[in-house]
Amino acid sequence: MDVVISSITDTNGIRVLELAAVDGAALPSYEAGAHIDVTLGNGLVRQYFLCCREPSSAGYRIAVKREAGSRGGSAWLHDMARTGSVLSIGPPRNAFALAPQAGMHLLFAGGIGITPILSMAYTLLRRKQPFRLACYVRDEASLAFSTELRASPLAPYVEVFCGLGPQDTAASIGKLLAAAPANDSHAYVCGPAAFMDAVTAQAEARFGASALHKESFGAVPASGTSEQPFVLRLSRTQCDIAIPAGRSALACLQDAGINIDSSCEVGVCGTCRTAVLDGVPDHQGSLLSAQERKANNCFLPCVSRPLTPVLVIDL
Ligand code: FES
């Protein structure tokens, strides 16, 4: 559907955009943690979390940090987008939802990772469910939505940590986790990979893997198997595709004229997900849960490769 940018606010390299339906119609409803695909004016498709105060069909809000290594997404939205520009978006999708059964919610946001976490905080506030929100930023100026986070009604639930090194970050995470009941707390994290790893290690140890929820739309680290060629066997198409070192399975499938949907191409949206019939995938990206990774029955060809020389998929 088409949306128009109804307002733009720039603060310290973070651009907040409000979106409304071009025809004034209601936008699809969503829950905290949802994201949308946005087709930019340069043809790129990028995913952005919805970060409204209240999920509302009247309009969406997204926030975009200008990334130094931008592959064209944040740069286009910062340099080319204007109030009144029209963008095409997909319906909200949610792979990062709040756990309804949790007695306590611990929200960890690293940098621009605050975007889905902010929606969660507003939702928990509205539902009167216990939560704490810990924001980790380089300095105060880097704190997106600082006006909202520093004021009522969120402020009493929020702690902001500025400029901590790895050890102090780990120590503060441990303290927050230790203060929450081990039996019915859930932790949520979004942010840079190192920050997510720091939260993951401690949260899984305290609450268990099923009580940890994480999401990152950042760059995906290169796979340890990225230099290994392999054969992708397509069971329904009945052909083998040779995937050389350094090229993604998705790119090779597309080169071969195989029709496969894709969107983010960094392993976060699930559009390219395919079923595995034989072989062992080396999962990459942040979409799959620990259970899905262990089950080894699906594969994201945009980022993942196999640990076996041949991977048979249902395609
Ligand atoms: S295209 Fe998004 S996970 Fe593969």
Side-chain angles (χ1 to χ4, degrees), residues 50-63:
L50 296 170
C51 50
C52 297
R53 282 170 186 266
E54 291 206 20
S56 159
S57 55
Y60 292 164
R61 180 170 74 161
I62 60 173

Side-chain angles (χ1 to χ4, degrees), residues 32-35 49 93-97 213-215 217 268-269 286-287:
H35 68 270
F49 289 109
R93 289 183 289 170
N94 200 340
F96 192 40
H213 312 266
K214 51 187 181 176
E215 185 61 276
F217 283 169
V268 299
C269 73
S286 60
L287 177 80

Side-chain angles (χ1 to χ4, degrees), residues 30 32-33 50-53 114-124:
Y30 65 94
L50 296 170
C51 50
C52 297
R53 282 170 186 266
I114 185 64
T115 50
I117 298 285
L118 186 68
S119 296
M120 291 177 161
Y122 279 125
T123 297
L124 292 167

Side-chain angles (χ1 to χ4, degrees), residues 250 262-272 300 302:
L250 178 67
S262 67
S263 177
C264 69
E265 301 189 6
V266 292
V268 299
C269 73
T271 308
C272 69
L300 302 178
C302 63

